[in-house]
Amino acid sequence: MEIIRFFWRGLPAYVWVGVGYAIVIAGAPTHDGNVPALERYLAAPLFPLPLLNNGSFIVSWNAIFIFSAFISLWVEVVRATSLRNRAGNDWMSLVATFSTILIFAGSESFGTLAFMVVPLVGFGDLLLDRLVGQAVAKRDFAIN
């Protein structure tokens, strides 16, 4: 039970964006391996959001995944700066990032703009973990 809890706590937040993407494209009517058709589906308007300038922002699946990726990166920033022991998150971030890069480059259905944000956020998370880890180590050892 403790291993399962450790796994779920250490799992990077952006993995859920990738899972959401897989669910959306599994239900996509254009999911036939045709990437341009899939890109059109992901970019198609879902609904408008009114803006103060009397215009509107058209929400699409692409916008939702980009927004979700930013939210997940903010979650990872909070995790990286947390005082709790998050060592499990570092190796899971590495595995998740390399996995998403391979999926992005190797799977035609995942080679889209909507999924590209997942490996980019993963790469940012790896840099964040490294930079924050070094800053914490310098502080802990009082190195200036």
Side-chain angles (χ1 to χ4, degrees):
M1 188 64 167
E2 189 64 32
I3 292 174
I4 294 172
R5 186 177 307 136
F6 174 77
F7 176 77
W8 287 112
R9 284 185 179 172
L11 194 64
Y14 56 90
V15 168
W16 297 111
V17 178
V19 170
Y21 176 85
I23 291 168
V24 167
I25 67 164
T30 58
H31 182 63
D32 59 0
N34 186 348
V35 174
L38 184 57
E39 284 281 9
R40 282 192 301 276
Y41 172 76
L42 293 169
L46 294 175
F47 58 89
L49 286 177
L51 300 175
L52 294 175
N53 64 2
N54 293 329
S56 61
F57 175 76
I58 306 298
V59 177
S60 66
W61 283 115
N62 281 339
I64 290 171
F65 287 118
I66 291 169
F67 178 76
S68 300
F70 274 106
I71 295 294
S72 68
L73 187 57
W74 294 334
V75 167
E76 291 302 318
V77 167
V78 171
R79 282 182 174 182
T81 58
S82 171
L83 294 177
R84 292 185 196 174
N85 182 9
R86 304 294 302 175
N89 186 263
D90 291 345
W91 70 268
M92 286 186 171
S93 293
L94 184 66
V95 170
T97 299
F98 284 133
S99 298
T100 58
I101 290 170
L102 290 174
I103 291 169
F104 174 74
S107 174
E108 199 171 19
S109 298
F110 285 80
T112 64
L113 171 67
F115 189 75
M116 182 183 71
V117 297
V118 178
L120 287 177
V121 168
F123 185 70
D125 180 40
L126 288 176
L127 288 175
L128 180 70
D129 287 344
R130 178 60 52 211
L131 294 174
V132 170
Q134 287 175 353
V136 169
K138 285 179 181 179
R139 183 196 66 208
D140 288 349
F141 292 111
I143 299 172
N144 291 325

